[in-house]
Amino acid sequence: MIRKESIQLSITGMKCGGCVSTVETILNNSDGIENVSVNLLTESAYFEISYKHIEIETVLEKLKENGFPSKIYINDFSKKINKEELSKKKKWNNQWQKLTFALLLLLFSGLGHLAEGKYINFPILGNIFFHASLATIALLFPGRRIIINGFKSFIKNRPDMDSLVALGVTSAYITSLLSLIFPASGFPCFFNEPVMLLGFILIGRFLEERARYQTGSSIGELLDLQPEMANIYTKDNQIKSIRVNALKPDQEIQILAGDRVPADCIVTQGNSYVDVSHITGESKPIEVKEGEKLSSGSLNLNSTLRLKVQKVGGDSSLAQLVSLIESVNANKPPIQRIADKIAGKFTYFVLIFATLSFFFWWKGAKHIWPDLLSHNHHQLLTNSSHTLHSSLGSNAENFLSLAIQLSIAVLVIACPCALGLATPTVITVASGKAAKKGVLFKGGDKIEMASKINHIIFDKTGTLTKGKLFIVDYKNNNDHTYLLRIAASLEKESRHPIANALIQEAQKQNLSLFPIKKILTHSGRGISGELESVEGLINIGNIEWLLSKGIVIDNNAKKVIENEETQTHTIIGVSIKDKLLGFILLGDLLREDSIKTVQNLRQNKFKINILSGDRKQTVLALAKKIGFKETEVKWNLLPHMKLKTIENLKIDNKVAMVGDGINDVPALASSDLGIAVGSGTQIAKANADIVLMGDQLNGLPYSLNLAKKTMRKIKQNLIWAFGYNLLAIPIAAGILFPKYDILLTPSIAALLMATSSITVVINALSLD
């Protein structure tokens, strides 16, 4: 079997959906790489490599050759915290420099218009050679990188957004230059157009980058929860301040009121109220005391605590939470894959359309509208009386001049950026908002599936109830201590809620447990095995299973367990050989928000059922409290029976299974959407698609509602991105010119193109 490893790359140079398609093509065509997913918003790629083909350096070189310098993303939590702020500052400094240059170019170009129109008395600003110099500076400095990258992509037959801009800008510049050098050629001269075009594009990219950063701010906010320094206790019990990345497990630290916990710890001294909303989404502080665990990033509110460090750095719950949110980008929803494919082909369409527009206006239009250019009343979005650097369409002397200008406008106005950003921006905003509420989506595809769910299945124990079972009573055995000791001894290696209840009670009573000789788990039924110092096979489990094993349960024992009061509890029987040793009754507490959550889901028209392995009376007693009918509840179900029920429901429904993530793995995996309930990373590792952190269920209706809103936003963005291009490209090509005398200048086209990208990002940010 070939070993596989997941790789994440940080990629620079991606500007649009066409770039995403190019990067995905390069990776998919590389030997040993599979399951490729590229994200424009986060500028990253995710894929798996097999150790049979480990030529990752060749892949990085290939990406670099195509204009996408990349490096392997190293998931070092301490470095991530430091680099986040540094990279942010570096990126913003670079963006501000470009913006400043763009604004200066636009300022001088605008003043040039005013100077030539005699609105201001500054002759040099209206001079054609000044504008030629300004255009040259614009292309050589702020526009150089766009033009070089654009032509590189074009030459390699992988045109992208930069290719369209580069062709438009250089065409306008070269045409103007030829007009300046050879005035008799009849070519249009509009040096101001490449200047304004680049200015608007740079402003648009600055605003787009700013909005894109805001969409991914949730990870930055989580990283801000990690303090830089920690106070540790020295060997002589003195306090010493050290950097958090120097912390080691088993060290003891002091946390003052107002401090954040720097690592996963356990309280060794003190009690306080702590804010854990970053993990659970629950704004109400929790009370902690000696022996309780605290996650990194938790905020200590009112008293000093002494803590023992358990997990640090990348192993901490905060680091794993950040990694989980980052991994959302690894799985695209199907709707995004379609958009990326279209965006990948889009630039070819634009190039063909621009070429056809050129030949149509040059050779065809004069036969259809021979008097078209004899009118001088063209309504322009930017009208001008300029001569040598006139705006697009004004005073076009011939059809060749008009053809050049209109084909440039087509190149500039097209926007594959909006297509590429339409989906990932919304997915990132949604996953960030969900994380703040204690909900983790494990991929954009999971969000799309969550939006389609109409039927919800609940497990009982650990889902609708807290899953923290406690012993209520013992039956049919006078030696309760021995009964508990036998049961806890055999269950001590299990992680089942029943096992936890038995072990905790044994610890409270300071019972010494027997060593295990042999053990076997029977899923959904019980556990069997042998203990040292105890002769014979021991069985612990539900009554039906014990009977099937030949355990004798007499009539008196049956009367006890058939008692109405007894039947509302979970009952397990303990036997040695074929003799019943006794029964243990266990109780469970309903989650505080179970009733409200179920009511909320019903109001939103979800169909709901409970599938439980517990006894009929126990399940019905709980169902009655929550408001379920008997027909909506099933009991005495083994794991394979739950599985079959879900498979049958999936025929006509989109089914979500809500379980505790420990005993419901098959059902979670089989359902259309697996939702795990519980606190911390143990549940996050289960086979669930959504994780509800903490002890609350109210994140469930929130997550399903958010998923529906997210898909609405994505569809709005895609409709806008497609609609914009369907309308804008024909207008730029001059479809309104013959009848309405309306044309667009390249600079206005550039402004509209930038606005299109910014619009989809702002729409994503409006998700509530």
Side-chain angles (χ1 to χ4, degrees), residues 470-474 569 584-588:
F470 54 92
I471 294 174
V472 176
D473 202 358
Y474 303 89
H569 298 296
I584 300 177
L585 273 62
L586 298 117
D588 198 358

Side-chain angles (χ1 to χ4, degrees), residues 334-509:
I335 196 169
Q336 183 181 343
R337 293 191 181 279
I338 295 168
D340 283 348
K341 281 183 181 179
I342 294 171
K345 306 295 181 187
F346 182 73
T347 44
Y348 291 101
F349 164 76
V350 175
L351 289 169
I352 292 168
F353 198 87
T355 305
L356 291 174
S357 297
F358 174 78
F359 283 107
F360 173 79
W361 288 108
W362 180 28
K363 295 295 184 183
K366 59 187 173 185
H367 299 296
I368 302 171
W369 306 291
D371 299 326
L372 185 64
L373 297 181
S374 62
H375 303 293
N376 292 314
H377 61 282
H378 305 318
Q379 297 174 25
L380 305 170
L381 283 181
T382 303
N383 210 342
S384 170
S385 59
H386 287 195
T387 52
L388 284 177
H389 51 289
S390 60
S391 293
L392 171 66
S394 64
N395 304 319
E397 296 177 4
N398 55 58
F399 281 97
L400 174 61
S401 171
L402 185 64
I404 292 170
Q405 296 167 59
L406 289 174
S407 57
I408 291 170
V410 170
L411 289 170
V412 171
I413 204 166
C415 188
C417 294
L419 277 174
L421 289 170
T423 302
T425 48
V426 187
I427 293 292
T428 305
V429 170
S431 59
K433 285 185 176 295
K436 290 176 184 176
K437 294 282 188 179
V439 178
L440 294 181
F441 287 99
K442 292 187 179 178
D445 53 340
K446 314 304 185 215
I447 295 177
E448 183 167 356
M449 178 51 71
S451 71
K452 299 174 182 177
I453 294 299
N454 68 323
H455 201 129
I456 300 169
I457 303 296
F458 282 100
D459 175 47
K460 183 181 82 70
T461 305
T463 304
L464 292 169
T465 64
K466 290 187 175 180
K468 295 179 180 177
L469 298 176
F470 54 92
I471 294 174
V472 176
D473 202 358
Y474 303 89
K475 298 291 182 182
N476 276 63
N477 187 294
N478 294 324
D479 192 350
H480 298 167
T481 302
Y482 183 67
L483 179 61
L484 175 61
R485 191 179 178 197
I486 292 290
S489 296
L490 197 61
E491 294 272 12
K492 67 184 177 186
E493 291 184 3
S494 172
R495 300 185 71 181
H496 194 281
I498 288 176
N500 291 336
L502 297 173
I503 294 161
Q504 284 179 11
E505 185 62 29
Q507 288 173 344
K508 282 182 186 177
Q509 297 185 26

Side-chain angles (χ1 to χ4, degrees), residues 441 447 450-451 600-601 604 606 699-712 767-768:
F441 287 99
I447 295 177
S451 71
N600 193 327
L601 292 170
N604 286 290
F606 286 101
L700 176 58
Y702 171 80
S703 61
L704 297 176
N705 187 39
L706 179 67
K708 284 182 168 64
K709 289 181 179 179
T710 300
M711 293 312 298
R712 279 200 294 270
L767 181 69
D768 55 19

